[in-house]
Amino acid sequence: VRRERGGVVIFYDGRPCAERVVRKQFTSGRVQYYEGTRGAERMVRLESPSGAAWFFKGAKGAERAVRRALPDGQVWYYEGDKGAERVVRMELPKEYFE
């Protein structure tokens, strides 16, 4: 099921009266992916128009960034609560060292 709301396209999955949000597409090109039961959907991934992908963990409203993957192969890992995440590790493609 698909619904447009204020320029955002929202995709749902599930039985009638139990539909849950699975994806939101914004006019900017940003796409957010969700998991969880109806009313408890939490964002698990955000893809930006630049090709970067953010990955999240945590309950609805407390999702915190745990990883960011960039199109050039960089991967950044984060720890910390929502809004206080900090980089704890980076993986760089071998081209960065040549």
Side-chain angles (χ1 to χ4, degrees):
V1 176
R2 170 189 151 147
R3 183 170 92 182
E4 288 192 42
R5 191 177 213 187
V8 178
V9 181
I10 305 171
F11 295 84
Y12 297 86
D13 190 28
R15 297 186 324 270
C17 299
E19 298 98 340
R20 58 189 179 82
V21 175
V22 293
R23 185 171 80 229
K24 292 182 182 178
Q25 291 181 326
F26 296 80
T27 55
S28 65
R30 183 178 72 199
V31 182
Q32 296 174 343
Y33 296 87
Y34 295 82
E35 292 180 358
T37 57
R38 182 180 181 155
E41 301 98 327
R42 63 197 181 281
M43 185 170 54
V44 295
R45 188 171 85 234
L46 181 154
E47 294 176 354
S48 73
S50 69
W54 290 83
F55 299 86
F56 298 87
K57 288 189 178 179
K60 181 178 182 176
E63 299 98 329
R64 64 192 186 284
V66 294
R67 183 170 41 115
R68 178 173 62 154
L70 301 176
D72 67 358
Q74 294 182 54
V75 181
W76 298 39
Y77 295 88
Y78 297 84
E79 288 182 0
D81 294 331
K82 179 179 181 174
E85 299 97 327
R86 63 194 178 286
V87 176
V88 294
R89 190 174 92 219
M90 291 175 52
E91 292 177 1
L92 301 173
K94 67 179 181 177
E95 297 82 36
Y96 277 77
F97 303 100
E98 293 177 346

